[in-house]
């Protein structure tokens, strides 16, 4: 299962960056559907279902640098 979340501004004005979350079977790497996440075994390899979660964060902008420069 792979879900993409768009960037958004949260309550305090901070930006929550765009990111993707992928959940697969840890044993075989099978991409699970959302309804398969509650199962006890992987529908592809039959192993006990242990999940592997990967998060990819997209950097869309760089905040301005602050501070002093060395001379």
């Amino acid at each position: 299962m792979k879900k993409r979340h768009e960037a958004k501004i949260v309550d305090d004005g901070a930006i929550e960056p765009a990111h993707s979350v992928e959940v697969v079977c840890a044993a075989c790497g099978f991409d699970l559907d959302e309804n398969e996440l509650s199962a006890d075994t992987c529908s592809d390899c039959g192993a006990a279902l242990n999940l592997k979660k990967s998060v990819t964060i997209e950097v869309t902008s760089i905040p301005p640098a602050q501070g002093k420069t060395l001379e």
Side-chain angles (χ1 to χ4, degrees), residues 29-43:
F30 181 68
D31 187 12
L32 300 160
D33 290 334
E34 192 166 350
N35 58 356
E36 294 175 309
L37 296 177
S38 59
D40 293 332
T41 58
C42 175
S43 61

Side-chain angles (χ1 to χ4, degrees), residues 28-69:
C28 70
F30 181 68
D31 187 12
L32 300 160
D33 290 334
E34 192 166 350
N35 58 356
E36 294 175 309
L37 296 177
S38 59
D40 293 332
T41 58
C42 175
S43 61
D44 190 51
C45 69
L49 188 57
N50 292 314
L51 301 176
K52 178 180 172 186
K53 183 189 260 188
S54 300
V55 178
T56 304
I57 299 172
E58 298 175 27
V59 178
T60 56
S61 63
I62 299 174
Q66 296 180 357
K68 296 180 182 179
T69 59

